């Protein structure tokens, strides 16, 4: 059996302030983590291909600065999000959990489409 690493304490905060705390295996995207844990507010219409912008999240400090630079496609898709684009905006399908993101907190936008 291979080594299994858990990135713990990934917290989604919905627009009404409710919090969902999930444990995600390293390598799992924030988008997939939301879907598999029944967190509402992420639609992921394209299934994680960075083509729909319905997995928009606001990554809370200090984790926003720990993420890899966004690619050109993600940057372009963030221009098409339904809610306000902010400096901490990212696509949930492009954020992959690692041990350095243990405790990651993301806020969900008002709407995704
Ligand atoms: S799931 Fe479509 S852009 Fe992330």
């Amino acid at each position: 059996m291979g080594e299994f690493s858990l990135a713990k304490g990934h917290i989604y905060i919905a627009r009404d302030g409710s919090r969902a705390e999930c444990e995600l295996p390293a390598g799992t995207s924030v988008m997939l983590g939301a879907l598999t844990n029944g967190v509402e507010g992420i639609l992921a219409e394209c299934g994680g291909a960075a083509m729909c912008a319905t997995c928009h999240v606001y990554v809370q400090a200090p984790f926003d600065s720990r993420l890899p630079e966004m690619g050109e496609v993600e940057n372009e898709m963030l221009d098409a999000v339904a809610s306000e684009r902010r400096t901490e905006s990212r696509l949930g399908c492009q954020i992959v959990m690692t041990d350095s993101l243990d405790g990651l907190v993301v806020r969900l936008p008002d709407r995704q489409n």
Side-chain angles (χ1 to χ4, degrees), residues 31 44-55 91-94:
M31 174 277 281
E45 290 171 349
C46 76
M51 296 297 288
C52 72
T54 61
C55 63
L91 294 180
C93 67
Q94 302 302 302

Side-chain angles (χ1 to χ4, degrees), residues 23-87:
E23 292 195 6
L24 305 184
T28 301
S29 74
V30 165
M31 174 277 281
L32 196 58
L35 295 188
T36 56
N37 286 281
V39 176
E40 293 183 10
I42 290 189
L43 303 181
E45 290 171 349
C46 76
M51 296 297 288
C52 72
T54 61
C55 63
H56 179 205
V57 296
Y58 300 119
V59 179
Q60 303 300 284
F63 299 100
D64 52 342
S65 61
R66 294 185 197 168
L67 295 178
E69 291 272 317
M70 73 175 72
E72 194 176 327
V73 172
E74 181 178 4
N75 189 28
E76 285 175 9
M77 288 309 300
L78 283 169
D79 284 338
V81 292
S83 294
E84 176 192 6
R85 179 178 180 171
R86 303 178 191 157
T87 54

